[in-house]
Amino acid sequence: MQVNHGDCGSPTECLWVKMRGVASTGDLTVGTCYRSPTWDGKAQETIFGSLKQASGQQNLVLMGDFNYPDISWKNNSAAHVEAFKFLECVEDCFLI
């Protein structure tokens, strides 16, 4: 198992764990992130980069508290620009 503690830019925190799988199932990458409601644009770009890099993994589970209360996951929409950018990042990374 490989653990990667990433400081995606204060006040955002990320933890990525890659677990080695058996030959037929491949590795599993599990990530958890926390985004403070008071984060800045630099932290936003850093965490987006981290998500884009992790999305290249075949088996990925992402969990976290991204603090976007205005996102409607049912409609895939957001009322604020920052939340909309997060939705775009999720789509660009093919995360569901």
Side-chain angles (χ1 to χ4, degrees):
M1 176 174 18
Q2 175 184 1
V3 178
N4 179 15
H5 298 271
D7 180 4
C8 299
S10 182
T12 305
E13 298 175 11
C14 299
L15 174 67
W16 299 96
V17 178
K18 187 172 189 174
M19 295 178 275
R20 189 168 298 242
V22 294
S24 63
T25 62
D27 296 343
L28 172 66
T29 301
V30 178
T32 182
C33 297
Y34 170 74
R35 180 193 79 86
S36 170
T38 60
W39 77 337
D40 61 11
K42 180 182 177 192
Q44 177 176 328
E45 291 305 316
T46 305
I47 196 170
F48 287 2
S50 182
L51 292 177
K52 288 176 183 177
Q53 182 179 3
S55 70
Q57 304 299 312
Q58 184 176 6
N59 299 313
L60 173 68
V61 176
L62 175 63
M63 303 169 279
D65 184 353
F66 295 94
N67 283 306
Y68 291 114
D70 64 320
I71 289 180
S72 169
W73 292 103
K74 182 178 179 179
N75 300 325
N76 202 31
S77 63
H80 294 94
V81 172
E82 293 83 11
F84 185 75
K85 287 181 181 180
F86 179 74
L87 282 175
E88 285 183 329
C89 181
V90 167
E91 286 181 16
D92 289 349
C93 295
F94 302 102
L95 299 174
I96 55 170

